[in-house]
Amino acid sequence: MRRSSRLLINTPDIEIWPGGLLSARSNHDARALSRAQHVLRRKRDGLYLAADLPEGLLAMVPRLRHEPGIETALGALDHLTEHRRVGIDAIGELPLDFLHERLHALGLDDSYGERTNLPLVAEPAALALAGFDRYRRPLWLVSPAARAWRSMQAAAMHEGVVLEAISGYRSHDYQLGIFERKRARGLSVEEILTVNAAPGYSEHHSGRALDIGTLDEAPAEESFEGTPAFAWLRDNASGYGFVMSYPRDNPHGIVYEPWHWRFEGH
């Protein structure tokens, strides 16, 4: 199977990462990752499940075949070549089947969406590598958003303005983890909702939103508004298809986020 250097295939429980982008957590992982064409990674906790090696699939956990969602992920792995031929823009979105169960576990139902005027956001079934964020983590966006981000970042740099990605795509499981960690620190769900959208309602799930920062500026702070980077975005971002999602007094009740921008192009 050919190495796919820029494509992440997404399934409800497991992500299929291209080889060469994930860090080793042990000597055993290092040997597998150094040769892997793709890596199967559990979304819930980031555990590496299997490495797709030239000679075949190497299980990295016991009882791999009993992992939830493994058959779906292996089917997606088998069809990666077909995905590449069809094109990343044509692959579509994941179903929202399991999201309601996760929301109910937080004591949330459809009334949250009605109250905030936020829609449920499906995860894309495939994402493109859009470069790397401030922390040298791979930045994943849907293909047209990735192209637009790279173009916009390069244009700003040409004018002496540094735009840094802070974060891009986040899965429903990632957002749920934010809630679980904050609840473990004693915060209530209602308190968390004042600064974090409920799992399934964050624009980051779509692969079309990213948080933007700049050099020597703390991430995700209102002070970003006073930087040359923000001024450049205010004047130029729309030309690349990006809009600021949460201005002051937005109808969703979300705090002002001058760093959060959404791609609305095609």
Side-chain angles (χ1 to χ4, degrees), residues 230 242-248 256-262:
F230 177 81
F242 285 93
V243 298
M244 186 171 58
S245 296
Y246 305 120
R248 286 189 174 86
Y256 174 47
E257 295 189 357
W259 62 85
H260 180 99
W261 295 74
R262 179 182 73 254

Side-chain angles (χ1 to χ4, degrees), residues 25 67 153 250 253:
R25 300 173 182 177
E67 280 288 330
Q153 189 180 36
N250 64 80

